[in-house]
Amino acid sequence: MRVFRYPSPPPSSITPHALWLSRRDLLAAGAAAGLVGGILPSRAARAVDLAAQPGPLSGEGLKPTPLRDVTHYNNFYEFGLEKTDPAERSGDFHPRPWTVRVEGMVAKPRTYDIDALLGRKLEERIYRMRCVEAWSMVIPWIGFALRDLLAEVEPLGSAKYVAFESVVRPSEMPGQGGVLPVLDWPYVEGLRLDEAMHPLTILAVGLYGQTLPNQNGAPVRLVVPWKYGFKGIKSIVRIRLTDRQPRTSWNVRAPDEYGFYANVNPAVDHPRWSQASERPIGAGGGFFGASRQLTLPFNGYGEQVAGLYAGMDLRRDF
Amino acid sequence: MAARRGRSAGLIRLALYGIGLVPAVVSFVLGATNRLGADPVNTFERTLGLWALRFLILSLCITPLRDLTGVNLVRYRRAVGLLAFWYALFHLSAYVALDQGFDLHTLLADVTTRPFIILGMVAFTILSALAATSNGWAIRRLGRRWKALHRWVYAAAICAAIHFILSFKVIRVETLLYGLVVAALLAFRVYRAAPRRAKAPPV
Ligand code: HEM
């Protein structure tokens, strides 16, 4: 796999060399589970290389958006409203130690340590990402299918939905303490169980070959490539199976603008702008490099997912 | 003496146009050479809109400034107002040409169905009418009606301020501050226009 440079000091500059080498060996051996945390300075947010197999579900012919843009053009309102805020203001955020609680209507509720998640068999998935604001990227995520995790906790027959909850840490996330209430914290999201079990739905722990930078939702986030980006809740601390449709942050904030489903749909406009087309980010060339491109139904994943919504009126359930 | 003052006022006006256009030129050059961030078209479009609103507000500050402090900059008001118009025109052009790529279908849907865009368009239409009549000839031709026409600048400012507030997914402090300034300027206008009592209390 190609190795990408990450704009932060290499681990070799902060860890005694012998330890660093042994950590690399461990990672390479895929035996990082439970050990990485012990070797790293406990709360370090340094990027670590991840070993991942290219997944069969990566889109074909997709050219990834440059790393610089993927990590410096973000909507992550916990860190501020500007696209540049997450990169600039997430330096105090500690993505470890970290646990994710999986509970609710399951036979075996469990708490996963982030190192256990990083130690799973990871896949690279190159996905399109379409923001509800009519821009898009292509991102090489690293993660694992959410369905594999859910299978381990054994959802009960009564479970119909999956609710996700993000972290609340105003001391580390300056956007959570703003003057005007932006969203109700914690950020919450939800999926129907069959959406959550779809093989395209992943929990991402990295991108571009390394652990997730803080501004992209470290240490673990949801990626549902056929839905608008805001469904991809970041910095997840809780996953709960339930029989009721969960509240979702943007839907609570503006129900006429952001639906529960939020499937990418060029035929259903946002009240304030058209969703028919999108501006690809990072095409280069300034004004004249990137022209708009047409937005695809289900963001181009219709073949795989349209069946989930058979018989539904997607104008009403937008 | 008067001639000299007239000439220096002319120079200042020229300088005002020159300086006023700097943000547009700088962000155009940055955008054209791919140095305007990850989403150059949107950044450019928004920069131009914001400066249009700023100059519009500045043009409304000139009368209150004179009335409250005695500093008289009225002779530069037209230049500031025209800058607001030019920026609004650039902003609209960036939207039509760079952002939407002259896609008439989308543009038509936007200006007919989206209140956010309609407000911008109303503001722009007013600014165009005001810019077209910002010359000696129009002032002479229109006489008293000129003043009445140019009071519409307040409607333009209100529409533009709401357009600004609505241009984001959430309500932002800075957009409310702009709105507040417009409201205060309008309140001042209304207050001044109200018939005076015999002895108005000191303000
Ligand atoms: C036909 C006329 C207009 C159209 C179609 C229009 C369109 C737009 C659009 C599409 C945006 C947001 C871009 C985005 O979604 O990110 C925007 C933002 C904005 N517009 Fe306009 N606009 C118009 C007129 C005006 C006028 C006359 C003013 C001010 C005098 C103005 C001030 C602004 C401001 C301040 C913003 C936000 C800038 C920022 O983000 O800081 N617009 N406009």
Side-chain angles (χ1 to χ4, degrees):
Chain A
M1 207 178 74
R2 224 146 54 94
V3 175
F4 295 93
R5 283 200 63 79
Y6 189 76
S8 68
S12 55
S13 70
I14 50 156
T15 313
H17 195 61
L19 274 182
W20 180 69
L21 282 180
S22 62
R23 192 173 81 224
R24 285 195 64 90
D25 292 340
L26 286 171
L27 284 165
L35 292 174
V36 177
I39 295 169
L40 279 175
S42 65
R43 310 196 87 192
R46 300 280 186 279
V48 171
D49 291 346
L50 293 173
Q53 305 300 317
L57 290 168
S58 280
E60 305 225 332
L62 293 178
K63 185 171 161 283
T65 304
L67 174 63
R68 168 83 200 173
D69 294 327
V70 171
T71 54
H72 287 77
Y73 188 83
N74 308 101
N75 278 325
F76 195 171
Y77 282 7
E78 281 85 337
F79 292 113
L81 301 179
E82 301 298 330
K83 299 280 190 295
T84 45
D85 282 342
E88 284 167 12
R89 302 171 74 193
S90 64
D92 290 337
F93 183 72
H94 298 297
R96 61 178 55 241
W98 195 276
T99 58
V100 181
R101 176 78 185 156
V102 188
E103 60 186 21
M105 296 180 160
V106 298
K108 297 184 175 156
R110 256 178 86 172
T111 301
Y112 288 88
D113 192 88
I114 188 59
D115 294 319
L117 297 181
L118 287 171
R120 296 175 78 96
K121 188 168 170 298
L122 301 176
E123 251 186 55
E124 178 171 75
R125 300 272 185 104
I126 302 176
Y127 280 165
R128 270 186 281 266
M129 207 284 294
R130 171 61 156 79
C131 178
V132 74
E133 295 169 343
W135 51 265
S136 66
M137 293 187 180
V138 172
I139 304 178
W141 299 108
I142 291 183
F144 51 87
L146 176 61
R147 61 187 293 171
D148 294 342
L149 189 90
L150 293 181
E152 290 169 12
V153 295
E154 298 178 14
L156 302 179
S158 50
K160 297 278 177 291
Y161 294 92
V162 184
F164 302 84
E165 188 181 312
S166 193
V167 74
V168 182
R169 282 191 199 161
S171 61
E172 297 177 18
M173 305 177 114
Q176 287 183 335
V179 182
L180 288 180
V182 175
L183 293 168
D184 295 332
W185 313 116
Y187 193 96
V188 288
E189 258 305 335
L191 294 173
R192 237 171 37 194
L193 185 58
D194 57 344
E195 297 175 322
M197 297 296 276
H198 193 280
L200 282 173
T201 304
I202 59 168
L203 287 182
V205 293
L207 55 80
Y208 265 105
Q210 298 196 305
T211 46
L212 280 180
N214 286 348
Q215 62 265 37
N216 293 89
V220 55
R221 62 167 292 164
L222 180 68
V223 178
V224 194
W226 71 92
K227 293 178 181 282
Y228 290 120
F230 67 85
K231 293 297 286 183
I233 182 171
K234 308 182 177 94
S235 307
I236 299 172
V237 291
R238 190 186 312 275
I239 298 175
R240 191 170 42 83
L241 284 92
T242 158
D243 57 355
R244 266 187 247 147
Q245 183 174 306
R247 283 157 35 93
T248 60
S249 285
W250 280 102
N251 182 244
V252 168
R253 169 72 220 212
D256 55 327
E257 299 189 353
Y258 312 100
F260 172 78
Y261 287 95
N263 292 319
V264 175
N265 190 343
V268 176
D269 287 346
H270 185 283
R272 283 178 277 155
W273 56 83
S274 161
Q275 297 290 29
S277 62
E278 64 205 35
R279 299 185 306 279
I281 297 297
F287 293 154
F288 313 107
S291 53
R292 277 183 173 261
Q293 63 193 29
L294 290 181
T295 292
L296 303 168
F298 298 108
N299 203 23
Y301 300 94
E303 218 172 279
Q304 293 101 309
V305 302
L308 294 173
Y309 309 101
M312 277 175 64
D313 178 359
L314 294 178
R315 290 185 168 277
R316 206 183 43 122
D317 290 316
F318 57 87
Chain B
M1 193 50 206
R4 175 129 39 90
R5 200 187 299 145
R7 205 169 329 126
S8 70
L11 280 179
I12 293 177
R13 264 194 292 269
L14 213 62
L16 257 178
Y17 284 120
I19 296 168
L21 290 172
V22 165
V25 173
V26 167
S27 53
F28 181 82
V29 170
L30 289 179
T33 54
N34 197 23
R35 284 176 289 170
L36 211 55
D39 194 355
V41 169
N42 191 253
T43 305
F44 184 56
E45 180 180 356
R46 284 186 170 269
T47 304
L48 296 170
L50 192 53
W51 281 98
L53 181 57
R54 285 176 179 159
F55 282 118
L56 187 53
I57 288 175
L58 268 184
S59 75
L60 296 180
C61 289
I62 286 174
T63 308
L65 184 73
R66 183 194 60 193
D67 293 357
L68 295 175
T69 70
V71 177
N72 189 346
L73 301 177
V74 170
R75 65 168 83 79
Y76 307 114
R77 184 165 55 194
R78 182 191 294 174
V80 178
L82 283 174
L83 277 170
F85 164 75
W86 285 113
Y87 270 91
L89 182 64
F90 300 155
H91 172 62
L92 178 60
S93 313
Y95 162 76
V96 170
L98 295 177
D99 191 350
Q100 299 298 341
F102 299 102
D103 174 2
L104 290 184
H105 181 75
T106 307
L107 290 170
L108 206 69
D110 273 4
V111 298
T112 51
T113 60
R114 303 190 210 293
F116 151 66
I117 297 285
I118 292 169
L119 281 165
M121 209 175 54
V122 170
F124 179 74
T125 308
I126 295 172
L127 289 183
S128 310
L130 302 191
T133 55
S134 285
N135 52 65
W137 182 78
I139 293 173
R140 283 190 299 277
R141 271 301 299 270
L142 290 169
R144 289 166 55 93
R145 282 173 302 163
W146 188 88
K147 258 198 134 103
L149 175 65
H150 278 246
R151 284 215 184 96
W152 280 86
V153 68
Y154 285 94
I158 292 166
C159 291
I162 302 175
H163 171 76
F164 185 30
I165 293 170
L166 293 181
S167 77
F168 294 102
K169 285 200 306 214
V170 298
I171 301 217
R172 298 200 184 200
V173 181
E174 69 263 35
T175 63
L176 292 185
L177 290 181
Y178 277 86
L180 218 63
V181 171
V182 169
L185 289 166
L186 181 64
F188 179 82
R189 227 14 256 222
V190 171
Y191 172 77
R192 291 321 290 263
R196 285 301 100 115
R197 274 172 281 155
K199 259 200 190 128
V203 215

